[in-house]
Amino acid sequence: MGKYLVLQTDFGLGDGAVSAMYGVAHMVSDEVVVEDLTHDIPPYDIWVASYRLLQTVKYWPKGTVFVSVVDPGVGSDRRSIVCETESGHYILTPDNGSLTHIRHYQGIREVRAIDEVVSRLPHSEESHTFHGRDIYAYNGARLASGEINFSELGDVVSQDSLTYLDLIDAKEENGILTGSIDVLDIRFGSLWSNIPLALFKQAGIVHGDSIQVTIFHQGKKSIKIS
């Protein structure tokens, strides 16, 4: 296993929250290399967190440990989990849907529930709202450093018992492509759809063709572009 720990949150960088996660990781082991996926996930936007994991995880070396903390349910009875993906990566995250895209498109080998009472930063028992530091960064660094292995983080849980978000699979029927807009790329003014190039080829659509795009929102036609 490598010693990379990659962090994703909706914390922003306006205060010391992310720095505290870095500090905890380095207290566990000064050999762990801590990097950022992003800390600009929109507040509480689990969907975007799930998508950004899909977009990024496969480009890191096998064994890399990811921590994703977008956690509107912190302090509730939602579980903390860790998974090993089919690609050999590890993700620690709340059980709130953050693994939706990874499971659907890349696959998960096994999921374990983290014991939030036992497996946490020492002397953090009175903290109930900073699990990013006390549970996820701490255990992520322990896993990345080799202090513990995956099986030591908790008991196996069924993948079917996890929380997932609703996905719409892209499809082609009679030359009409249907899919979803997964992410708004606000910086560049783009919409990212889940319709792959293979479906365009299947429909006989090639570069330079004119197409009509119709966007629906909550079942109502929002815009038509030709």
Side-chain angles (χ1 to χ4, degrees), residues 116-204:
E116 295 181 0
V117 175
V118 175
S119 297
R120 64 180 302 133
L121 180 68
H123 313 299
S124 68
E125 294 81 7
E126 298 302 317
S127 174
H128 302 287
T129 59
F130 200 171
H131 286 177
R133 175 195 65 201
D134 301 333
I135 306 293
Y136 301 113
Y138 175 66
N139 285 300
R142 294 171 74 207
L143 183 59
S145 68
E147 178 181 316
I148 56 173
N149 60 45
F150 176 63
S151 64
E152 292 176 296
L153 276 171
D155 295 330
V156 175
V157 297
S158 166
Q159 294 189 39
D160 291 338
S161 73
L162 303 187
T163 299
Y164 298 106
L165 307 174
D166 292 332
L167 288 176
I168 298 174
D169 280 319
K171 62 181 180 179
E172 186 271 337
E173 291 182 350
N174 300 319
I176 297 175
L177 309 183
T178 304
S180 62
I181 296 171
D182 284 351
V183 172
L184 308 181
D185 187 353
I186 296 174
R187 182 183 298 273
F188 295 106
S190 302
L191 303 178
W192 292 13
S193 118
N194 70 337
I195 303 174
L197 178 60
L199 286 188
F200 282 88
K201 292 180 177 179
Q202 182 175 314

Coordinates of all heavy atoms in Angstrom, one line a residue, residues 116-204:
E116 N -17.0 4.3 15.8 CA -16.7 5.7 16.1 C -16.3 5.9 17.6 O -15.8 6.9 17.9 CB -17.9 6.6 15.7 CG -18.2 6.6 14.2 CD -19.3 7.5 13.9 OE1 -19.9 8.1 14.8 OE2 -19.7 7.7 12.7
V117 N -16.6 4.9 18.4 CA -16.2 5.0 19.8 C -14.8 4.5 20.0 O -14.0 5.2 20.7 CB -17.2 4.1 20.7 CG1 -16.7 4.1 22.1 CG2 -18.6 4.6 20.5
V118 N -14.4 3.4 19.4 CA -13.1 2.9 19.6 C -12.0 3.5 18.6 O -10.9 3.8 19.1 CB -13.1 1.3 19.4 CG1 -11.7 0.7 19.5 CG2 -14.1 0.7 20.4
S119 N -12.4 3.6 17.4 CA -11.4 4.0 16.3 C -11.6 5.5 16.1 O -12.2 5.9 15.1 CB -11.7 3.2 15.0 OG -11.4 1.9 15.2
R120 N -11.0 6.3 17.0 CA -11.0 7.7 16.9 C -9.8 8.4 17.5 O -9.1 7.7 18.3 CB -12.3 8.3 17.5 CG -12.4 8.1 19.0 CD -13.7 8.7 19.5 NE -13.8 10.1 19.2 CZ -14.9 10.6 18.7 NH1 -16.0 9.9 18.4 NH2 -14.9 11.9 18.5
L121 N -9.5 9.6 17.2 CA -8.4 10.3 17.7 C -8.5 10.3 19.2 O -9.5 10.6 19.8 CB -8.5 11.8 17.2 CG -7.4 12.7 17.7 CD1 -6.0 12.3 17.0 CD2 -7.7 14.2 17.3
P122 N -7.4 9.9 19.9 CA -7.4 9.8 21.3 C -7.8 11.2 22.0 O -7.4 12.2 21.5 CB -5.9 9.5 21.7 CG -5.5 8.7 20.5 CD -6.1 9.4 19.3
H123 N -8.6 11.1 23.0 CA -9.0 12.3 23.8 C -10.0 13.1 23.0 O -10.1 14.3 23.4 CB -7.8 13.1 24.3 CG -6.7 12.3 24.9 ND1 -6.9 11.5 26.0 CD2 -5.4 12.1 24.5 CE1 -5.8 10.9 26.4 NE2 -4.9 11.2 25.5
S124 N -10.6 12.6 22.0 CA -11.6 13.4 21.2 C -13.1 12.9 21.5 O -14.0 13.3 20.8 CB -11.4 13.2 19.7 OG -11.6 11.9 19.3
E125 N -13.2 12.2 22.6 CA -14.5 11.6 22.9 C -15.6 12.6 23.1 O -16.8 12.3 22.8 CB -14.4 10.7 24.2 CG -13.6 9.5 24.1 CD -12.1 9.8 24.2 OE1 -11.8 11.0 24.6 OE2 -11.2 8.9 24.0
E126 N -15.3 13.8 23.5 CA -16.3 14.8 23.7 C -16.7 15.6 22.5 O -17.6 16.4 22.5 CB -15.9 15.8 24.8 CG -15.6 15.2 26.2 CD -16.9 14.5 26.7 OE1 -18.0 15.0 26.6 OE2 -16.7 13.3 27.2
S127 N -16.0 15.3 21.4 CA -16.2 16.0 20.1 C -17.2 15.2 19.3 O -17.0 14.0 19.1 CB -14.9 16.2 19.3 OG -15.2 16.8 18.1
H128 N -18.3 15.8 18.9 CA -19.4 15.1 18.1 C -19.6 15.7 16.7 O -20.4 15.2 16.0 CB -20.7 15.1 18.9 CG -20.5 14.5 20.3 ND1 -20.4 13.1 20.5 CD2 -20.5 15.1 21.5 CE1 -20.3 12.9 21.8 NE2 -20.4 14.0 22.4
T129 N -18.9 16.8 16.4 CA -19.2 17.4 15.1 C -18.0 17.6 14.2 O -18.1 18.3 13.2 CB -19.8 18.8 15.4 OG1 -18.9 19.6 16.1 CG2 -21.2 18.7 16.1
F130 N -16.9 17.1 14.6 CA -15.7 17.2 13.7 C -15.1 15.8 13.4 O -14.0 15.5 13.7 CB -14.6 18.1 14.3 CG -13.6 18.6 13.3 CD1 -12.7 19.6 13.7 CD2 -13.6 18.2 12.0 CE1 -11.8 20.1 12.8 CE2 -12.7 18.7 11.1 CZ -11.8 19.7 11.5
H131 N -16.0 15.0 12.9 CA -15.5 13.6 12.6 C -14.5 13.6 11.4 O -13.8 12.6 11.3 CB -16.8 12.7 12.2 CG -17.6 12.4 13.4 ND1 -18.7 11.6 13.3 CD2 -17.4 12.6 14.7 CE1 -19.2 11.4 14.5 NE2 -18.4 12.0 15.4
G132 N -14.5 14.6 10.6 CA -13.5 14.7 9.6 C -12.1 14.7 10.1 O -11.2 14.0 9.6
R133 N -11.9 15.3 11.3 CA -10.6 15.2 12.0 C -10.5 14.0 12.8 O -9.5 13.3 12.8 CB -10.5 16.5 12.8 CG -9.2 16.6 13.7 CD -9.4 17.6 14.8 NE -10.5 17.3 15.7 CZ -11.1 18.2 16.5 NH1 -10.8 19.5 16.4 NH2 -12.1 17.9 17.3
D134 N -11.5 13.7 13.7 CA -11.4 12.8 14.7 C -11.6 11.3 14.3 O -11.0 10.4 14.9 CB -12.4 13.1 15.8 CG -12.2 14.4 16.4 OD1 -11.1 14.9 16.4 OD2 -13.2 15.0 16.9
I135 N -12.3 11.1 13.2 CA -12.6 9.7 12.7 C -11.9 9.5 11.4 O -11.1 8.6 11.2 CB -14.1 9.5 12.6 CG1 -14.9 9.8 13.9 CG2 -14.4 8.1 12.1 CD1 -14.6 8.9 15.0
Y136 N -12.2 10.4 10.4 CA -11.8 10.1 9.0 C -10.3 10.4 8.8 O -9.6 9.5 8.2 CB -12.7 10.8 8.1 CG -14.1 10.4 8.2 CD1 -15.1 11.3 8.7 CD2 -14.5 9.1 8.0 CE1 -16.4 11.0 8.9 CE2 -15.9 8.8 8.1 CZ -16.8 9.7 8.6 OH -18.1 9.3 8.8
A137 N -9.8 11.5 9.1 CA -8.4 11.8 8.9 C -7.5 10.9 9.7 O -6.5 10.4 9.3 CB -8.1 13.3 9.2
Y138 N -8.0 10.7 11.0 CA -7.2 9.8 11.9 C -7.1 8.4 11.4 O -6.0 7.9 11.2 CB -7.8 9.9 13.3 CG -7.2 8.9 14.3 CD1 -5.9 9.1 14.7 CD2 -7.9 7.9 14.8 CE1 -5.3 8.3 15.7 CE2 -7.4 7.0 15.7 CZ -6.1 7.2 16.1 OH -5.5 6.4 17.1
N139 N -8.2 7.8 11.1 CA -8.2 6.4 10.6 C -7.6 6.3 9.2 O -7.0 5.3 8.8 CB -9.6 5.8 10.6 CG -10.0 5.5 12.1 OD1 -9.3 4.7 12.7 ND2 -11.0 6.1 12.6
G140 N -7.8 7.3 8.3 CA -7.3 7.3 7.0 C -5.8 7.3 7.1 O -5.1 6.6 6.3
A141 N -5.2 8.1 8.0 CA -3.7 8.2 8.1 C -3.2 6.8 8.7 O -2.1 6.4 8.3 CB -3.3 9.3 9.0
R142 N -3.9 6.3 9.6 CA -3.5 5.0 10.1 C -3.5 3.9 9.1 O -2.6 3.1 9.0 CB -4.5 4.5 11.3 CG -4.4 5.4 12.5 CD -5.5 5.1 13.5 NE -5.2 3.8 14.2 CZ -6.2 3.0 14.6 NH1 -7.5 3.3 14.4 NH2 -5.8 1.9 15.3
L143 N -4.5 3.9 8.2 CA -4.5 3.0 7.1 C -3.4 3.2 6.0 O -2.8 2.3 5.6 CB -5.9 3.0 6.4 CG -6.2 2.0 5.3 CD1 -6.0 0.6 5.8 CD2 -7.6 2.2 4.7
A144 N -3.3 4.5 5.7 CA -2.2 4.9 4.7 C -0.8 4.5 5.2 O 0.0 4.2 4.4 CB -2.4 6.3 4.3
S145 N -0.6 4.7 6.5 CA 0.7 4.5 7.0 C 1.1 3.1 7.3 O 2.2 2.7 7.5 CB 0.9 5.3 8.3 OG 0.1 4.7 9.3
G146 N 0.0 2.2 7.3 CA 0.2 0.8 7.6 C 0.1 0.5 9.0 O 0.4 -0.7 9.5
E147 N -0.2 1.5 9.9 CA -0.4 1.2 11.3 C -1.5 0.1 11.5 O -1.4 -0.7 12.5 CB -0.7 2.5 12.0 CG -1.0 2.3 13.5 CD -1.3 3.6 14.2 OE1 -0.6 4.6 13.9 OE2 -2.3 3.6 15.0
I148 N -2.5 0.2 10.7 CA -3.6 -0.8 10.7 C -3.9 -1.2 9.3 O -3.5 -0.6 8.4 CB -4.9 -0.3 11.4 CG1 -5.4 1.0 10.6 CG2 -4.7 0.0 12.9 CD1 -6.7 1.5 11.1
N149 N -4.5 -2.4 9.2 CA -5.0 -2.8 7.8 C -6.5 -2.6 7.7 O -7.2 -2.3 8.7 CB -4.5 -4.2 7.5 CG -5.1 -5.2 8.5 OD1 -6.2 -5.2 8.8 ND2 -4.2 -6.2 8.9
F150 N -6.9 -2.8 6.5 CA -8.4 -2.6 6.2 C -9.3 -3.4 7.1 O -10.3 -2.9 7.6 CB -8.6 -2.9 4.7 CG -10.0 -2.8 4.3 CD1 -10.7 -1.6 4.3 CD2 -10.7 -4.0 3.8 CE1 -12.0 -1.6 3.8 CE2 -12.0 -3.9 3.3 CZ -12.7 -2.7 3.4
S151 N -8.9 -4.6 7.3 CA -9.8 -5.5 8.1 C -9.9 -5.1 9.6 O -10.9 -5.4 10.2 CB -9.4 -7.0 8.0 OG -8.1 -7.1 8.6
E152 N -8.9 -4.3 10.0 CA -8.9 -3.9 11.4 C -9.8 -2.7 11.7 O -10.0 -2.3 12.9 CB -7.5 -3.7 11.9 CG -6.6 -4.9 12.0 CD -5.2 -4.6 12.3 OE1 -4.5 -3.9 11.5 OE2 -4.7 -5.0 13.4
L153 N -10.3 -2.1 10.7 CA -11.1 -0.9 10.8 C -12.5 -1.1 11.3 O -13.2 -0.2 11.8 CB -11.1 -0.1 9.5 CG -9.9 0.9 9.3 CD1 -9.9 1.5 8.0 CD2 -9.9 2.0 10.4
G154 N -13.0 -2.4 11.1 CA -14.4 -2.6 11.5 C -14.9 -3.9 10.9 O -14.2 -4.6 10.1
D155 N -16.2 -4.2 11.2 CA -16.8 -5.4 10.7 C -17.4 -5.2 9.3 O -17.8 -4.0 9.0 CB -18.0 -5.8 11.7 CG -17.5 -6.2 13.0 OD1 -16.4 -6.7 13.1 OD2 -18.2 -6.0 14.0
V156 N -17.4 -6.2 8.6 CA -17.9 -6.2 7.2 C -19.4 -5.9 7.3 O -20.2 -6.4 8.1 CB -17.7 -7.5 6.5 CG1 -18.4 -7.5 5.1 CG2 -16.2 -7.8 6.3
V157 N -19.9 -5.0 6.4 CA -21.3 -4.7 6.2 C -21.7 -5.0 4.8 O -20.9 -4.8 3.9 CB -21.7 -3.3 6.6 CG1 -21.4 -3.1 8.1 CG2 -20.9 -2.3 5.8
S158 N -23.0 -5.3 4.6 CA -23.5 -5.5 3.2 C -23.5 -4.3 2.4 O -23.9 -3.2 2.9 CB -24.9 -6.1 3.3 OG -25.5 -6.1 2.0
Q159 N -23.1 -4.4 1.2 CA -23.1 -3.2 0.3 C -24.6 -2.8 0.1 O -24.9 -1.6 -0.1 CB -22.5 -3.5 -1.1 CG -21.0 -3.7 -1.0 CD -20.3 -3.8 -2.3 OE1 -20.7 -3.0 -3.2 NE2 -19.3 -4.7 -2.4
D160 N -25.5 -3.7 0.1 CA -26.9 -3.4 -0.1 C -27.5 -2.6 1.0 O -28.5 -2.0 0.9 CB -27.7 -4.7 -0.3 CG -27.4 -5.3 -1.6 OD1 -26.9 -4.7 -2.6 OD2 -27.7 -6.6 -1.7
S161 N -26.8 -2.6 2.2 CA -27.3 -1.9 3.4 C -26.9 -0.4 3.4 O -27.4 0.4 4.2 CB -26.8 -2.5 4.7 OG -25.4 -2.3 4.9
L162 N -26.0 0.0 2.4 CA -25.6 1.4 2.4 C -26.6 2.3 1.8 O -27.5 1.9 1.1 CB -24.3 1.5 1.6 CG -23.1 0.6 2.0 CD1 -21.9 0.9 1.2 CD2 -22.8 0.7 3.5
T163 N -26.4 3.6 2.1 CA -27.2 4.6 1.5 C -26.7 5.0 0.1 O -25.5 5.2 -0.1 CB -27.3 5.9 2.4 OG1 -27.8 5.5 3.7 CG2 -28.1 7.0 1.8
Y164 N -27.6 5.0 -0.9 CA -27.2 5.4 -2.2 C -28.1 6.5 -2.8 O -29.3 6.6 -2.4 CB -27.2 4.2 -3.2 CG -26.3 3.1 -2.8 CD1 -26.8 1.9 -2.3 CD2 -24.9 3.3 -3.0 CE1 -25.9 0.9 -1.9 CE2 -24.0 2.2 -2.6 CZ -24.5 1.1 -2.1 OH -23.7 0.1 -1.7
L165 N -27.6 7.3 -3.7 CA -28.3 8.3 -4.4 C -28.9 7.7 -5.6 O -28.4 6.7 -6.1 CB -27.5 9.5 -4.7 CG -26.7 10.1 -3.5 CD1 -25.7 11.2 -4.0 CD2 -27.6 10.7 -2.5
D166 N -30.0 8.3 -6.2 CA -30.6 7.8 -7.4 C -29.8 8.2 -8.6 O -29.3 9.4 -8.7 CB -32.0 8.4 -7.5 CG -33.0 7.9 -6.5 OD1 -32.8 6.7 -6.0 OD2 -33.9 8.6 -6.2
L167 N -29.5 7.2 -9.4 CA -28.8 7.5 -10.7 C -29.6 7.1 -11.9 O -30.5 6.3 -11.8 CB -27.5 6.6 -10.8 CG -26.3 6.9 -9.8 CD1 -25.3 5.8 -10.0 CD2 -25.8 8.3 -10.2
I168 N -29.4 7.8 -13.0 CA -30.1 7.6 -14.2 C -29.0 7.1 -15.2 O -28.1 7.9 -15.6 CB -30.8 8.8 -14.8 CG1 -31.9 9.3 -13.8 CG2 -31.4 8.5 -16.1 CD1 -32.6 10.6 -14.2
D169 N -29.2 5.9 -15.7 CA -28.2 5.4 -16.7 C -28.5 6.0 -18.0 O -29.6 6.1 -18.4 CB -28.3 3.8 -16.8 CG -27.6 3.2 -15.6 OD1 -26.5 3.6 -15.3 OD2 -28.1 2.2 -15.1
A170 N -27.4 6.3 -18.7 CA -27.5 6.8 -20.1 C -28.0 5.7 -21.0 O -27.6 4.5 -20.8 CB -26.2 7.4 -20.6
K171 N -28.8 6.0 -22.0 CA -29.2 5.0 -23.0 C -29.5 5.6 -24.4 O -29.6 6.8 -24.5 CB -30.5 4.3 -22.5 CG -31.7 5.3 -22.3 CD -32.9 4.6 -21.8 CE -34.1 5.5 -21.7 NZ -35.3 4.8 -21.1
E172 N -29.5 4.7 -25.4 CA -29.8 5.2 -26.7 C -31.0 4.3 -27.2 O -31.0 3.1 -27.2 CB -28.6 4.9 -27.6 CG -28.8 5.5 -29.0 CD -29.4 4.5 -30.0 OE1 -29.3 3.2 -29.7 OE2 -30.0 4.8 -31.0
E173 N -32.0 5.0 -27.7 CA -33.2 4.3 -28.3 C -33.6 5.1 -29.6 O -34.0 6.3 -29.5 CB -34.3 4.3 -27.3 CG -34.1 3.4 -26.1 CD -35.3 3.3 -25.2 OE1 -36.2 4.1 -25.4 OE2 -35.3 2.5 -24.3
N174 N -33.5 4.4 -30.7 CA -34.0 5.0 -32.0 C -33.3 6.3 -32.3 O -33.9 7.3 -32.8 CB -35.5 5.2 -32.0 CG -36.3 3.9 -31.8 OD1 -35.9 2.8 -32.3 ND2 -37.3 3.9 -30.9
G175 N -32.0 6.4 -32.0 CA -31.3 7.6 -32.3 C -31.4 8.7 -31.3 O -30.8 9.8 -31.5
I176 N -32.2 8.5 -30.2 CA -32.3 9.5 -29.2 C -31.5 9.1 -28.0 O -31.7 7.9 -27.5 CB -33.8 9.6 -28.8 CG1 -34.6 10.1 -30.0 CG2 -33.9 10.6 -27.6 CD1 -36.1 10.2 -29.7
L177 N -30.6 9.9 -27.5 CA -29.8 9.7 -26.4 C -30.4 10.3 -25.1 O -30.8 11.5 -25.2 CB -28.4 10.2 -26.6 CG -27.7 9.8 -27.9 CD1 -26.3 10.4 -27.9 CD2 -27.6 8.3 -28.0
T178 N -30.5 9.6 -24.0 CA -31.0 10.1 -22.8 C -30.0 9.8 -21.7 O -29.4 8.8 -21.6 CB -32.3 9.4 -22.5 OG1 -33.2 9.5 -23.5 CG2 -33.0 10.0 -21.2
G179 N -29.9 10.8 -20.8 CA -29.0 10.7 -19.7 C -29.3 11.8 -18.6 O -30.4 12.3 -18.6
S180 N -28.3 12.0 -17.8 CA -28.5 13.0 -16.8 C -27.3 14.0 -16.8 O -26.2 13.7 -17.4 CB -28.5 12.4 -15.4 OG -27.3 11.7 -15.1
I181 N -27.5 15.2 -16.3 CA -26.5 16.2 -16.1 C -26.0 16.0 -14.7 O -26.7 16.3 -13.7 CB -27.0 17.6 -16.3 CG1 -27.4 17.8 -17.8 CG2 -25.9 18.6 -16.0 CD1 -28.1 19.1 -18.1
D182 N -24.8 15.5 -14.6 CA -24.3 15.1 -13.3 C -23.6 16.3 -12.5 O -23.7 16.3 -11.3 CB -23.2 14.0 -13.4 CG -23.9 12.6 -13.7 OD1 -25.1 12.6 -13.6 OD2 -23.2 11.7 -14.0
V183 N -23.0 17.2 -13.2 CA -22.2 18.3 -12.6 C -22.3 19.5 -13.4 O -22.3 19.5 -14.6 CB -20.8 17.9 -12.3 CG1 -20.0 19.1 -11.8 CG2 -20.6 16.8 -11.3
L184 N -22.5 20.7 -12.7 CA -22.4 21.9 -13.4 C -21.0 22.5 -13.2 O -20.5 22.7 -12.1 CB -23.4 23.0 -12.8 CG -24.8 22.5 -12.6 CD1 -25.6 23.6 -12.0 CD2 -25.4 22.1 -14.0
D185 N -20.3 22.6 -14.3 CA -18.9 23.2 -14.3 C -19.0 24.7 -14.4 O -18.9 25.3 -15.4 CB -18.1 22.6 -15.5 CG -16.6 23.0 -15.4 OD1 -16.3 23.8 -14.5 OD2 -15.9 22.5 -16.2
I186 N -19.2 25.3 -13.2 CA -19.5 26.7 -13.1 C -18.4 27.6 -13.6 O -18.5 28.6 -14.3 CB -19.9 27.1 -11.7 CG1 -21.2 26.4 -11.3 CG2 -20.1 28.6 -11.5 CD1 -21.6 26.5 -9.8
R187 N -17.1 27.1 -13.3 CA -16.0 27.9 -13.7 C -15.9 28.2 -15.2 O -15.6 29.2 -15.6 CB -14.7 27.2 -13.2 CG -13.4 28.0 -13.5 CD -12.2 27.2 -13.1 NE -12.2 26.9 -11.7 CZ -11.7 27.8 -10.8 NH1 -11.1 28.9 -11.2 NH2 -11.7 27.5 -9.5
F188 N -16.3 27.1 -16.0 CA -16.2 27.3 -17.4 C -17.5 27.3 -18.1 O -17.6 27.3 -19.3 CB -15.3 26.1 -18.0 CG -13.9 26.2 -17.5 CD1 -13.4 25.3 -16.6 CD2 -13.0 27.1 -18.0 CE1 -12.1 25.3 -16.1 CE2 -11.7 27.1 -17.6 CZ -11.2 26.2 -16.7
G189 N -18.6 27.3 -17.3 CA -19.9 27.5 -17.9 C -20.4 26.2 -18.7 O -21.1 26.3 -19.7
S190 N -20.0 25.0 -18.2 CA -20.3 23.8 -18.9 C -21.2 22.9 -18.1 O -21.3 23.0 -16.9 CB -19.0 23.0 -19.2 OG -18.1 23.8 -20.0
L191 N -22.0 22.1 -18.8 CA -22.8 21.1 -18.2 C -22.2 19.7 -18.6 O -21.9 19.4 -19.7 CB -24.2 21.1 -18.7 CG -25.0 22.4 -18.6 CD1 -26.4 22.3 -19.2 CD2 -25.1 22.8 -17.1
W192 N -22.0 18.9 -17.5 CA -21.4 17.5 -17.8 C -22.4 16.5 -17.7 O -23.0 16.3 -16.7 CB -20.3 17.3 -16.7 CG -19.1 18.1 -16.8 CD1 -18.9 19.3 -17.5 CD2 -17.8 17.9 -16.1 NE1 -17.7 19.8 -17.3 CE2 -17.0 19.0 -16.5 CE3 -17.4 17.0 -15.2 CZ2 -15.7 19.1 -16.0 CZ3 -16.1 17.1 -14.7 CH2 -15.3 18.2 -15.1
S193 N -22.6 15.8 -18.8 CA -23.6 14.8 -18.9 C -23.0 13.4 -18.7 O -21.7 13.3 -18.9 CB -24.4 14.8 -20.2 OG -24.3 13.7 -21.0
N194 N -23.8 12.4 -18.4 CA -23.2 11.0 -18.2 C -23.4 10.2 -19.5 O -23.2 9.0 -19.5 CB -23.9 10.3 -17.1 CG -25.4 10.0 -17.4 OD1 -26.0 10.6 -18.2 ND2 -25.9 9.0 -16.6
I195 N -23.7 10.9 -20.6 CA -23.8 10.1 -21.9 C -22.4 9.9 -22.5 O -21.8 10.9 -22.8 CB -24.7 10.9 -22.9 CG1 -26.1 11.2 -22.3 CG2 -24.8 10.2 -24.2 CD1 -27.0 12.1 -23.1
P196 N -22.0 8.7 -22.6 CA -20.6 8.5 -23.1 C -20.5 8.6 -24.6 O -21.5 8.5 -25.4 CB -20.4 7.0 -22.7 CG -21.7 6.4 -22.7 CD -22.7 7.5 -22.3
L197 N -19.3 8.7 -25.1 CA -19.0 8.8 -26.5 C -19.5 7.6 -27.3 O -20.0 7.7 -28.4 CB -17.5 9.0 -26.8 CG -17.1 9.1 -28.2 CD1 -17.7 10.3 -28.9 CD2 -15.5 9.2 -28.3
A198 N -19.5 6.4 -26.6 CA -19.9 5.2 -27.3 C -21.4 5.2 -27.7 O -21.7 4.7 -28.8 CB -19.7 4.0 -26.3
L199 N -22.2 5.9 -27.0 CA -23.6 6.0 -27.3 C -23.8 6.9 -28.5 O -24.7 6.7 -29.3 CB -24.5 6.5 -26.1 CG -24.7 5.4 -25.0 CD1 -25.7 6.0 -24.0 CD2 -25.2 4.1 -25.6
F200 N -23.0 8.0 -28.6 CA -23.1 8.9 -29.8 C -22.7 8.1 -31.0 O -23.3 8.2 -32.1 CB -22.1 10.1 -29.6 CG -22.7 11.1 -28.7 CD1 -22.5 11.1 -27.4 CD2 -23.4 12.2 -29.3 CE1 -23.0 12.1 -26.6 CE2 -23.9 13.2 -28.5 CZ -23.7 13.2 -27.1
K201 N -21.6 7.2 -30.9 CA -21.2 6.4 -32.1 C -22.3 5.4 -32.4 O -22.6 5.2 -33.6 CB -19.9 5.7 -31.7 CG -18.7 6.6 -31.6 CD -17.5 5.9 -31.3 CE -16.3 6.8 -31.3 NZ -15.0 6.0 -30.9
Q202 N -23.0 4.8 -31.4 CA -24.0 3.9 -31.6 C -25.2 4.5 -32.3 O -25.9 3.8 -33.2 CB -24.5 3.3 -30.2 CG -25.6 2.3 -30.3 CD -25.9 1.7 -28.9 OE1 -25.0 1.4 -28.2 NE2 -27.2 1.6 -28.6
A203 N -25.4 5.8 -32.1 CA -26.6 6.5 -32.7 C -26.2 7.1 -34.1 O -27.0 7.7 -34.8 CB -27.1 7.6 -31.8
G204 N -24.9 6.9 -34.4 CA -24.4 7.4 -35.7 C -24.2 8.9 -35.7 O -24.1 9.5 -36.8

